[in-house]
Amino acid sequence: MSDKARQDETVQQAIRDLFIGSIPERGEELTSLWNELDPVFQLVPDIHEDERVIMDAGAFRFVRFNHRVVRSFWIGAFAAWEAYRAFAESEDTQAVDLAHFRLLVVAFEANIQNDQSDAHSLPTGIPEPGTLPNADREPQARAASELAIIAVAWAMLHEIRHIRHQREGTSAPPLENTPEARQARHEEEFSCDDFATKFILEHVNRFAEKSGDDPALVRRKRAMAIYFALFALVLLAKDRWDASNTHPSVQDRINAVCLLMKDNRDELPEAIACTVFKALRRLWPAAPMIEIVGDSA
């Protein structure tokens, strides 16, 4: 594999297709965003001098990512779906069989640890990233794959907001080691999560009007995808969930996104997410958790 980043038109078109496929009703706004920011997406190698997992934004227009991080979100979505399936189909939630869920979490960790993320085949039932199983023959695998794609779009939109912050001059200072600079970096991360979440959810009615789908079901699907993106973040940050010099704690990020989704609240994706995170707690007891956002008194 080349040690150079790819930023050819094939990579750029793949990301544009990702966004249009995930949030087609915002095509005009995406075009405007592209014209405004002129982003360049760079596909970097799995083995890189910076980190093993690459997804970041810098230099006012560049968004870097590697195959490993895309594969992570993909496996994470299938693991999340499996946790939900295991509980939903179990007659005894105290004795639910999480063996396959454990296998998928192990596959996720192998994806991070292997020099090449695709060094080993994915577990049975998981297609390669980007492959959409037949909805009639494999409805659950199709559901997980569609949620995975939207989850990656959420993560990419987060990075796009970083680029806009840089263009606006509102980006937090990257190198200053002061409490104020640290807080500014944390606030920027919250801002980027906020942007990605709202961009995906705000105009589901537009899509529903054109497609004829129930807007509540469209929003439900997208909310689940965002919860699955948060689940992938928890897996990626294993044992590093506390606040750092650059990022707020994973739990605080989860709480903030959950609060955003309180408007037009749908309890089903929230309940599914809680189930998924509870399953992970059986493997990793200290992992962050989805907290039900109650109505204010």
Side-chain angles (χ1 to χ4, degrees):
M1 183 175 181
S2 172
D3 59 356
K4 295 182 179 179
R6 280 186 55 194
Q7 58 183 55
D8 53 79
E9 181 55 28
T10 299
V11 174
Q12 309 313 308
Q13 188 61 51
I15 301 302
R16 288 193 290 267
D17 290 346
L18 170 73
F19 287 141
I20 291 297
S22 299
I23 35 178
E25 74 279 6
R26 306 203 71 162
E28 291 185 5
E29 291 147 292
L30 286 165
T31 297
S32 177
L33 200 61
W34 248 247
N35 291 336
E36 173 194 354
L37 302 178
D38 191 24
V40 175
F41 291 85
Q42 296 181 320
L43 177 60
V44 302
D46 275 347
I47 297 299
H48 194 277
E49 62 183 3
D50 290 343
E51 296 282 350
R52 298 180 72 81
V53 175
I54 304 288
M55 182 171 279
D56 56 34
F60 299 93
R61 67 183 300 219
F62 294 100
V63 176
R64 300 189 312 160
F65 68 100
N66 60 0
H67 184 58
R68 189 189 308 282
V69 76
V70 174
R71 200 172 177 85
S72 295
F73 276 89
W74 185 263
I75 300 171
F78 275 84
W81 186 271
E82 170 58 24
Y84 161 62
R85 183 209 62 78
F87 274 92
E89 297 179 4
S90 176
E91 295 181 357
D92 181 0
T93 58
Q94 297 303 312
V96 62
D97 182 2
L98 291 175
H100 193 57
F101 172 67
R102 292 174 184 270
L103 178 66
L104 296 184
V105 173
V106 169
F108 185 99
E109 294 184 284
N111 168 69
I112 303 299
Q113 295 165 1
N114 292 336
D115 284 347
Q116 299 302 328
S117 60
D118 57 0
H120 300 292
S121 299
L122 293 172
T124 302
I126 304 185
E128 285 298 311
T131 303
L132 294 174
N134 183 279
D136 294 325
R137 293 194 300 268
E138 302 176 272
Q140 295 203 44
R142 177 58 177 256
S145 62
E146 291 186 3
L147 294 172
I149 289 169
I150 300 172
V152 173
W154 182 89
M156 290 289 188
L157 285 166
H158 173 103
E159 300 305 332
I160 285 290
R161 185 63 180 108
H162 278 302
I163 295 295
R164 175 173 273 177
H165 272 299
Q166 293 167 15
R167 291 291 185 91
E168 293 173 342
T170 56
S171 183
L175 301 177
E176 289 184 24
N177 189 22
T178 65
E180 293 77 15
R182 181 175 183 270
Q183 181 62 31
R185 288 190 286 269
H186 288 191
E187 291 300 329
E188 184 172 334
E189 292 301 323
F190 287 128
S191 168
C192 294
D193 287 347
D194 181 289
F195 171 77
T197 302
K198 290 179 178 177
F199 202 91
I200 288 174
L201 294 178
E202 273 184 337
H203 295 298
V204 295
N205 286 343
R206 289 187 201 168
F207 175 81
E209 287 171 3
K210 290 185 177 180
S211 67
D213 294 319
D214 182 341
L217 295 181
V218 176
R219 191 180 193 283
R220 178 175 296 171
K221 175 180 178 179
R222 294 189 186 182
M224 283 182 59
I226 293 169
Y227 284 127
F228 281 20
L230 296 174
F231 181 75
L233 290 182
V234 171
L235 295 179
L236 285 167
K238 183 183 180 182
D239 297 329
R240 295 179 289 111
W241 297 306
D242 292 338
S244 70
N245 191 42
T246 58
H247 287 71
S249 73
V250 176
Q251 186 65 69
D252 284 346
R253 291 180 67 182
I254 290 172
N255 293 348
V257 172
C258 288
L259 187 60
L260 281 175
M261 292 198 284
K262 181 181 177 182
D263 292 336
N264 300 313
R265 181 182 175 192
D266 184 343
E267 293 184 357
L268 182 58
E270 191 177 69
I272 290 172
C274 284
T275 299
V276 169
F277 278 75
K278 285 178 180 177
L280 185 61
R281 278 260 176 114
R282 295 197 180 187
L283 276 61
W284 302 348
M289 183 63 193
I290 292 288
E291 298 178 0
I292 299 289
V293 180
D295 295 327
S296 57

